């Protein structure tokens, strides 16, 4: 099996239902996968660049796991990307990540109906993803698409039933993610 690396960009997994459950499912079903939880590893947001780059170099499949935040990755993950994906490492004539597979796995707080042309966001989710595809292309990463789940916001889990629904959505997301990772790592 190929080496799987998951970069968790949730800014505070202790407060998460969906992202925490997705990662827990991957940990159970793919214990050989390396999961780097940026919020726990770097509470001061001071990344060990060498350790992060080594993890990326050792990976065959890279997953960015995060909650959609202002239509992109959260600030913690963006800072990680800015500091770790340096010219000469991730891209440029001496880039070292070429040929690795990149998969996005994310959640949104807003429901699917919000991400329609006639919805409150006025755009479909796919319209928010070009920067990820462009990053993959620049780094010669083989973009594998995205797995996402909508409607798992903090405000939408006020009742036990609502929380149970979010947990079920997270389990289903985790199942899809594990299946895709098994396919990519075969």
């Amino acid at each position: 099996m190929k080496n799987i690396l998951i970069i968790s960009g949730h800014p505070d997994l202790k407060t998460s239902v969906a992202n925490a459950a997705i990662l827990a499912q991957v940990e159970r079903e793919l214990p050989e996968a390396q999961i780097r939880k940026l919020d726990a590893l770097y509470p001061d947001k001071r990344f060990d660049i060498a350790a992060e780059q080594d993890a990326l170099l050792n990976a065959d499949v890279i997953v960015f796991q995060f909650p959609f935040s202002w239509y992109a990755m959260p600030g913690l993950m963006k800072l990680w990307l800015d500091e770790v994906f340096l010219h000469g490492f991730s891209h440029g004539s001496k880039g070292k990540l070429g040929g690795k597979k990149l998969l996005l796995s994310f959640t949104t707080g807003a429901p699917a109906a919000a991400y329609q042309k006639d919805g409150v966001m006025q755009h479909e989710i796919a319209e928010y993803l070009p920067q990820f595809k462009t990053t993959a292309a620049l780094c010669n990463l083989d973009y594998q698409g995205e797995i996402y789940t909508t409607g798992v916001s903090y405000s939408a889990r006020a009742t036990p039933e609502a929380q149970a629904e979010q947990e079920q959505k997270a389990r289903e997301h985790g199942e899809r993610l594990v299946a895709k990772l098994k396919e990519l790592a075969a």
Side-chain angles (χ1 to χ4, degrees), residues 131-149:
Q131 72 270 21
F132 297 106
K133 295 174 185 178
T134 302
T135 298
L138 177 68
C139 298
N140 280 322
L141 294 166
D142 183 5
Y143 186 75
Q144 297 295 308
E146 54 282 333
I147 294 172
Y148 63 88
T149 297

Side-chain angles (χ1 to χ4, degrees), residues 117-140:
K117 297 285 184 194
D118 60 350
V120 69
M121 305 306 179
Q122 300 178 2
H123 296 280
E124 295 175 3
I125 287 178
E127 295 178 75
Y128 294 104
L129 303 180
Q131 72 270 21
F132 297 106
K133 295 174 185 178
T134 302
T135 298
L138 177 68
C139 298
N140 280 322

Side-chain angles (χ1 to χ4, degrees), residues 92-170:
S93 62
K94 297 180 183 177
K96 301 173 184 166
L97 297 182
K100 297 176 186 297
K101 296 176 181 180
L102 176 65
L103 176 66
L104 299 184
S105 174
F106 61 90
T107 60
T108 72
Y115 289 101
Q116 303 299 321
K117 297 285 184 194
D118 60 350
V120 69
M121 305 306 179
Q122 300 178 2
H123 296 280
E124 295 175 3
I125 287 178
E127 295 178 75
Y128 294 104
L129 303 180
Q131 72 270 21
F132 297 106
K133 295 174 185 178
T134 302
T135 298
L138 177 68
C139 298
N140 280 322
L141 294 166
D142 183 5
Y143 186 75
Q144 297 295 308
E146 54 282 333
I147 294 172
Y148 63 88
T149 297
T150 59
V152 290
S153 73
Y154 294 105
S155 62
R157 62 179 186 209
T159 67
E161 296 79 18
Q163 177 138 344
E165 181 181 334
Q166 285 192 15
E167 290 167 353
Q168 179 60 33
K169 285 182 170 187

Side-chain angles (χ1 to χ4, degrees), residues 57-100:
L57 289 174
N58 290 324
D60 299 301
V61 179
I62 301 164
V63 178
F64 288 172
Q65 173 67 51
F66 58 94
F68 222 40
S69 177
W70 289 106
Y71 320 105
M73 61 178 56
L76 174 66
M77 191 169 217
K78 177 62 168 77
L79 181 62
W80 174 87
L81 189 74
D82 287 345
E83 294 187 11
V84 174
F85 276 56
L86 300 175
H87 185 269
F89 170 72
S90 63
H91 61 287
S93 62
K94 297 180 183 177
K96 301 173 184 166
L97 297 182
K100 297 176 186 297

Side-chain angles (χ1 to χ4, degrees), residues 11-74:
D12 186 6
L13 272 171
K14 294 183 299 293
T15 64
S16 170
V17 168
N19 280 262
I22 292 163
L23 291 171
Q25 186 159 357
V26 172
E27 287 172 327
R28 280 190 308 276
E29 295 191 39
L30 296 172
E32 67 280 4
Q34 181 184 11
I35 300 175
R36 299 189 64 78
K37 299 174 182 174
L38 298 180
D39 67 319
L41 287 170
Y42 305 110
D44 61 357
K45 297 178 180 60
R46 293 184 178 182
F47 305 111
D48 180 338
I49 305 303
E52 295 305 308
Q53 290 180 343
D54 284 345
L56 288 161
L57 289 174
N58 290 324
D60 299 301
V61 179
I62 301 164
V63 178
F64 288 172
Q65 173 67 51
F66 58 94
F68 222 40
S69 177
W70 289 106
Y71 320 105
M73 61 178 56

